[in-house]
Amino acid sequence: MSAAQPSSEPSLRRYLEHPRGGPTVLRIVLGTQLRRLREAAGITREAAGDAIRGSHAKISRLELGRVSCKERDVADLLTLYNVTDEAARSDFLKLAGRTSTPGWWHQYGDVLPGWFETHIGLEEAASVIRTYEVQFVPGLLQTAEYARAVAQLGHPRSTPEEIERRVQLRVQRQELLTLRDAPRVWAVIDEASLRRPLGGPEVMAGQLRHLLKMAELPNVTLQIAPFSLGGLAAAGGPITILRFLEPDLPDIVYLEQLTSALYLDKRDDVDHYLAVMDRLSAQSESPRESLAILERLLKQES
């Protein structure tokens, strides 16, 4: 084995023994490890591309985790990088085989855009999810009734069957919150989204009760950004920051738009949004006062 291999094997073994996040995360982990091996061996992307009958662009996509990879290609790269240890090669090849295995959300492919599929995979693997929402209650904290109203608003041309599929997808995503190793969710919710009667008073009252219940979970922290703040540090739109225990996965900022999303992982970008989220949390009401606000809003809806 080369000098770079001993540190890479435990990372691969963890994901083989405890897979989490589906193919999205597995591709990123595998790609990162292959990039480290290539750099340690002093081999260019062009040379690596030639070894698998591809281009340097293909190697770049593979190392960034944007595409699945054939086991044959991984085997050829390992040979090029002088990885001869059979146990290490076996781990790499097993992981490569799993990068094309569909995640549970694949069954919702008819209503799930590709750009959001990536987010679900990352969400599944995250250890901390920090989110700020302006217009809606965060998706992980929505009731089925509220989610239905959101889906109808965002997809007015969808059939009732498609709307229900979207609701089912959102509800299944939320099972993540009650797993044994559930991520910590820290949500800052703009007061405007709580006062907007989406779906009607009964739906909104149910949503407020659900938020109070979710706040009882040890891994969920809720804060409300009240109207009294005036301008906010995150003026513009919703923000989600995903953090991972796995060192091969950098913090990722997720910025959702109407028909697409941005995924930022450059250190400067992430640091900027982390600072924004820190200011938002400092400006918003404390978790205790936020629960009191929810109670008052619920009385107004009742």
Side-chain angles (χ1 to χ4, degrees):
M1 294 176 65
S2 72
Q5 293 173 46
S7 63
S8 68
E9 186 177 344
S11 176
L12 297 184
R13 185 61 55 82
R14 282 196 297 274
Y15 271 89
L16 287 171
E17 295 175 350
H18 305 287
R20 183 171 171 179
T24 302
V25 170
L26 297 183
R27 288 197 299 263
I28 295 174
V29 171
L30 178 62
T32 299
Q33 293 290 344
L34 289 174
R35 174 181 57 77
R36 288 178 178 171
L37 289 173
R38 178 182 60 76
E39 292 174 348
I43 294 173
T44 66
R45 286 194 178 93
E46 287 77 10
D50 289 342
I52 60 171
R53 302 151 295 280
S55 64
H56 72 280
K58 180 177 179 178
I59 293 295
S60 179
R61 290 193 299 272
L62 190 156
E63 291 181 351
L64 290 171
R66 293 177 180 170
V67 294
S68 58
C69 44
K70 298 177 181 178
E71 293 182 45
R72 182 186 69 171
D73 289 344
V74 172
D76 289 344
L77 289 174
L78 293 176
T79 299
L80 178 66
Y81 303 155
N82 197 32
V83 179
T84 57
D85 182 88
E86 288 303 319
R89 290 179 67 93
S90 176
D91 284 348
F92 273 98
L93 294 176
K94 286 178 183 176
L95 195 60
R98 294 183 185 179
T99 61
S100 58
T101 302
W104 63 260
W105 50 88
H106 182 74
Q107 61 184 306
Y108 295 101
D110 55 326
V111 294
L112 179 62
W115 53 266
F116 191 66
E117 180 178 348
T118 300
H119 176 65
I120 295 180
L122 294 172
E123 189 177 72
E124 288 267 316
S127 61
V128 179
I129 302 172
R130 297 184 66 179
T131 185
Y132 167 66
E133 274 290 351
V134 185
Q135 187 174 2
F136 304 114
V137 169
L140 285 174
L141 302 174
Q142 294 177 4
T143 64
E145 294 76 17
Y146 185 93
R148 186 172 296 108
V150 172
Q152 290 170 340
L153 182 65
H155 305 277
R157 297 180 181 178
S158 292
T159 66
E161 291 75 19
E162 289 171 335
I163 293 297
E164 289 309 306
R165 294 276 289 159
R166 296 179 191 279
V167 173
Q168 291 168 12
L169 169 61
R170 182 145 301 187
V171 170
Q172 190 164 349
R173 274 176 61 204
Q174 296 169 358
E175 295 178 6
L176 177 70
L177 297 182
T178 53
L179 295 177
R180 182 174 58 83
D181 55 349
R184 180 189 174 195
V185 175
W186 185 355
V188 178
I189 307 174
D190 197 286
E191 183 178 354
S193 66
L194 300 175
R195 290 190 175 276
R196 185 175 293 108
L198 191 62
E202 289 187 10
V203 169
M204 204 63 217
Q207 179 61 69
L208 293 171
R209 283 191 292 269
H210 184 67
L211 286 174
L212 287 167
K213 181 179 179 181
M214 290 294 98
E216 295 176 358
L217 294 175
N219 56 308
V220 174
T221 299
L222 295 183
Q223 287 185 272
I224 294 175
F227 286 139
S228 59
L229 283 179
L232 290 173
I239 302 169
T240 296
I241 303 175
L242 303 123
R243 173 160 289 178
F244 309 89
L245 291 176
E246 175 54 57
D248 287 342
L249 294 171
D251 292 351
I252 293 177
V253 176
Y254 172 74
L255 304 174
E256 186 170 323
Q257 302 167 353
L258 285 176
T259 58
S260 63
L262 295 177
Y263 294 87
L264 309 178
D265 61 4
K266 292 183 178 178
R267 192 68 256 173
D268 287 347
D269 291 333
V270 172
D271 286 346
H272 172 75
Y273 279 97
L274 280 171
V276 168
M277 289 294 288
D278 286 342
R279 289 199 299 272
L280 271 170
S281 298
Q283 289 177 315
S284 299
E285 298 291 357
S286 68
R288 177 177 296 182
E289 179 56 29
S290 294
L291 295 183
I293 292 174
L294 288 173
E295 293 278 9
R296 291 197 292 271
L297 289 172
L298 183 55
K299 289 182 180 179
Q300 293 173 16
E301 291 289 344
S302 300

